[in-house]
Amino acid sequence: QVRLAESGGGSVQPGGSLRLSCLVSGLTSAQYCLAWFRQAPGGEREGVATIPKAFDVTYYPDSVKGRFTISREKNMLYLQMNTLKPEDSGVYTCAAQEAHPASCAALLQRGHFDYWGQGAQVTVSS
């Protein structure tokens, strides 16, 4: 059974940093994509970062590029968020999808992931 569990959310002032963690277990495929999504109240879910299992190739939308960094180590997935803005507030969720590494960016843009965590709240406010 695939399980994903986030930790590390919280509140921070604009310009601050937070790191989210996600414990990933149960994935048996040799190829899969890992990702982070976020959703603000009343807003649509947005993919903010993705990385394949076996390659250090990352993809970010322009809204977070240069400020967010996705990484993975063993069974952990991380999202380092710097220079946070109020519009970065929302529920952040990690996700996984069995797929070829070349598909990760497209899957992120479409939100086509099968496995999801429960979400962690991030609030950026002064």
Side-chain angles (χ1 to χ4, degrees), residues 37-113:
F37 288 81
R38 69 183 180 189
Q39 187 167 20
E44 295 186 355
R45 186 173 60 198
E46 176 190 16
V48 297
T50 187
I51 187 170
K53 172 190 176 185
F55 300 96
D56 288 332
V57 177
T58 57
Y59 171 81
Y60 309 90
D62 289 343
S63 58
V64 305
K65 192 176 296 180
R67 301 188 297 119
F68 289 14
T69 303
I70 188 172
S71 62
R72 46 158 174 66
E73 182 176 354
K74 295 183 180 179
N75 63 338
M76 294 298 298
L77 179 69
Y78 303 101
L79 184 68
Q80 178 66 43
M81 304 182 290
N82 298 329
T83 320
L84 283 162
K85 306 174 183 179
E87 53 263 43
D88 293 320
S89 298
V91 176
Y92 283 70
T93 308
C94 56
Q97 172 64 42
E98 295 178 353
H100 190 278
S103 305
C104 292
L107 291 171
L108 183 78
Q109 292 169 338
R110 298 170 192 159
H112 288 180
F113 281 71

